[in-house]
Every structure is written in structure tokens, then in C-alpha cells.
């Protein structure tokens, strides 16, 4: 792999899951644009898949942020009745259709790999062709908040469960790989582990982070902003803050890389 970003013929971009913290991915993309850098291939899980799809679709940074501001995470009429999960994920379909009217991977400007979890087989599933919106909804269907999405008689949910940092799908397809991880497993206090729900969340977070850590370190350049720990996964008030954190970290990392290589 070519480790000189200034002379790389192609850049691969890997975007992790992590809820609203994923707005940091958009900040990184803005920093890349300012440096004249454009990824040729993208892989993402959960919110990383959504940001990756918008980027691959040619949407501006402003449009990407607006998408997440417009998406009504907790509208009461979106609550699921008779479905697993609190929110009926498929009710978002029409919102997504406004951004992806052709509803296909082939209509995107760049190759995109979207990871979801097959709940029936208990395995990872990658989508890269055919219909786009349902795989995106499935990848971002954070359990247990959002209901699973049915595709070809199989139920799919959050891609982060099986593969929160799907670097393997860009390996060998780009000269230089940039990674962005927003699922941070930082230090917590004893008061943060008072009940079984908090404990389960902490254990799950640590498992996801451990599975991603090695792959993140294999990237030619990556950001993993620790400040994101203070932003809740579903805190819509954190959109602008997470974006700014990602932009600041991305700018510093890219400037340092370009300065070192030139």
C-alpha cells in the first residue's frame, strides 16, 4: 500500500458506527475536501454507512448535515406497534427517498459497501449493489431502539453489531486508506455502571471497540476523537459539536500527513 497521501492514486474511506457522533465523519470529509482529497471507494457501518452513502451520492457537506437534522429520530408517529424495537425503521423510507431518488448503489458516484447484521443467521452481510435504501436503513437500525428491516425475507439490523469498522471491503482496492472511528470506549466511573442496562451497554461497547481497534491501526491515517465520548449516541443536540470535533481532528491529521510527506 502506498503510504504517501500526496501521491496516492486512490483513497479508501472507512466510517464506523456510533450514532450522532458520526457527524464527525462529515467533519473529516470537509477537511478532506479542503485539502483537495477525494475518496474513490467507501465502506461504512450504521451511521458510517449513511454518511458514506451521502458522500458517494455527491451531496455537499451542508446537505449531509441537513439530512441528519431533518431525520426525525424520535417522532412519536414513528414508534413501532407490533414490531421489535421502539421505532419503526421503515417509516424513514420516504425521507431517504428524497436524498436517494434512484434507490440504487449503481446510481452513486463512488463504490459503497454497507454492512448490516443478519439477525436470523447471526452473521455479517455486506450490500454493494441493487437497492440502496433498505440496506442503509438496516445498517443504521440500532438495536433495541429501531426495528429490524426485512430484505428478501431476512431481518437485518445495525451493522455495528458484527462489524463496526468494515475496513476489509476497501483493502486492496485503494492505495491509501483513511479511517474514522467514532465508537469510543473511554474510561467510565463506577456511578456509570449502577444497573444491568448500563453494564450491558458498557460490555457491548468494549467488545465493539476491541474488534475495531486492530483494523483502525492498520489504516494509513485515522481519526478517533476522544472528545466524542461526551456526546450521546442519539443526542440530536450534538450534531454540530460532533461535526466540529471531526473537522478539527481531520484537519490536523491531514495537514500533518501532507506536511510530513511533502
Amino acid at each position: 500500500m502506498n503510504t504517501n497521501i500526496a501521491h496516492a492514486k486512490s483513497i479508501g474511506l472507512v466510517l464506523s458506527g456510533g450514532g450522532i457522533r458520526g457527524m464527525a465523519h462529515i467533519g473529516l470529509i470537509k477537511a478532506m475536501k479542503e485539502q483537495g482529497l477525494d475518496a474513490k471507494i467507501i465502506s461504512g457501518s450504521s451511521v458510517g454507512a449513511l454518511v458514506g452513502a451521502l458522500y458517494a451520492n455527491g451531496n455537499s457537506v451542508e446537505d449531509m448535515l441537513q439530512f441528519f437534522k431533518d431525520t426525525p429520530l424520535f417522532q412519536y408517529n414513528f414508534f413501532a406497534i407490533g414490531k421489535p424495537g421502539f421505532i419503526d425503521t421503515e417509516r424513514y423510507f420516504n425521507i431517504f427517498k428524497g436524498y436517494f431518488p434512484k434507490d440504487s448503489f449503481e446510481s452513486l458516484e463512488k463504490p459503497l459497501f454497507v454492512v448490516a447484521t443478519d439477525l436470523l443467521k447471526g452473521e455479517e452481510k455486506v450490500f454493494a449493489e441493487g437497492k440502496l435504501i433498505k440496506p442503509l436503513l438496516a445498517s443504521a437500525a440500532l438495536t433495541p431502539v429501531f426495528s429490524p428491516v426485512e430484505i428478501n425475507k431476512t431481518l437485518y439490523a445495525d451493522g455495528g453489531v458484527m462489524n463496526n469498522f468494515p475496513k476489509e471491503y476497501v483493502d486492496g482496492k485503494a492505495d491509501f486508506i483513511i479511517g474514522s472511528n467514532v465508537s469510543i470506549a473511554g474510561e467510565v466511573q463506577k456511578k456509570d455502571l449502577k444497573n444491568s442496562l448500563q453494564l450491558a451497554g458498557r460490555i457491548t461497547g468494549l467488545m465493539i471497540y476491541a474488534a475495531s481497534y486492530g483494523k483502525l491501526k492498520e489504516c494509513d491515517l485515522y481519526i478517533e476523537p476522544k472528545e466524542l465520548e461526551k456526546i450521546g449516541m442519539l443526542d440530536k443536540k450534538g450534531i454540530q459539536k460532533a461535526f466540529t470535533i471531526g473537522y478539527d481532528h481531520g484537519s490536523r491529521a491531514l495537514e500533518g500527513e501532507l506536511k510530513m510527506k511533502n
Side-chain angles (χ1 to χ4, degrees):
M1 192 178 290
N2 184 351
T3 55
N4 188 332
I5 193 172
H7 301 112
K9 293 178 182 176
S10 60
I11 293 173
L13 183 63
V14 186
L15 305 174
S16 80
I20 289 299
R21 296 171 182 175
M23 300 308 94
H25 297 325
I26 304 176
L28 170 62
I29 288 169
K30 180 182 180 184
M32 288 172 62
K33 287 177 179 284
E34 289 181 352
Q35 296 291 350
L37 300 171
D38 188 34
K40 296 294 185 245
I41 186 168
I42 307 149
S43 177
S45 193
S46 199
V47 70
L50 300 184
V51 173
L54 291 164
Y55 181 39
N57 196 44
N59 290 91
S60 67
V61 165
E62 292 71 27
D63 279 349
M64 292 185 211
L65 284 172
Q66 197 60 46
F67 172 85
F68 290 97
K69 289 174 182 175
D70 289 346
T71 304
L73 277 177
F74 286 113
Q75 277 197 6
Y76 288 107
N77 61 339
F78 278 41
F79 273 60
I81 303 296
K83 283 192 172 188
F86 304 124
I87 309 288
D88 184 354
T89 310
E90 295 193 31
R91 291 204 180 187
Y92 289 93
F93 189 91
N94 288 335
I95 298 170
F96 281 54
K97 197 80 162 65
Y99 283 81
F100 307 105
K102 294 184 179 176
D103 187 18
S104 74
F105 280 88
E106 289 76 14
S107 68
L108 300 175
E109 296 174 3
K110 312 170 192 289
L112 172 70
F113 294 89
V114 170
V115 173
T117 297
D118 181 333
L119 290 175
L120 303 186
K121 291 183 179 176
E123 62 187 27
E124 173 183 337
K125 167 73 174 176
V126 64
F127 295 90
E129 58 186 19
K131 295 288 188 182
L132 172 68
I133 295 176
K134 278 207 167 186
L136 288 178
L137 287 169
S139 184
L142 184 68
T143 306
V145 178
F146 296 94
S147 64
V149 174
E150 186 171 334
I151 303 172
N152 298 327
K153 298 183 179 179
T154 294
L155 292 177
Y156 293 97
D158 185 15
V161 173
M162 299 300 290
N163 190 349
N164 201 49
F165 191 74
K167 174 180 173 282
E168 44 274 78
Y169 298 107
V170 301
D171 281 340
K173 299 183 179 80
D175 296 332
F176 192 98
I177 295 178
I178 298 175
S180 178
N181 180 42
V182 298
S183 287
I184 315 296
E187 188 173 340
V188 299
Q189 305 298 316
K190 279 206 286 193
K191 65 179 174 61
D192 299 319
L193 299 174
K194 285 182 179 176
N195 58 51
S196 57
L197 192 62
Q198 290 174 326
L199 182 62
R202 175 62 170 166
I203 296 299
T204 302
L206 289 170
M207 288 169 65
I208 287 173
Y209 183 74
S212 303
Y213 183 78
K215 290 189 286 183
L216 187 69
K217 296 292 185 183
E218 291 171 2
C219 292
D220 296 299
L221 182 72
Y222 68 88
I223 67 166
E224 189 182 50
K226 302 297 183 188
E227 297 95 317
L228 293 172
E229 289 175 11
K230 296 175 183 174
I231 298 174
M233 294 271 282
L234 295 171
D235 178 14
K236 286 192 75 173
K237 294 177 182 176
I239 288 177
Q240 196 63 40
K241 187 175 181 182
F243 167 75
T244 301
I245 290 170
Y247 173 70
D248 290 343
H249 276 257
S251 296
R252 287 197 298 271
L254 290 168
E255 285 168 9
E257 181 74 17
L258 287 164
K259 191 180 294 182
M260 185 171 64
K261 300 300 180 185
N262 283 337

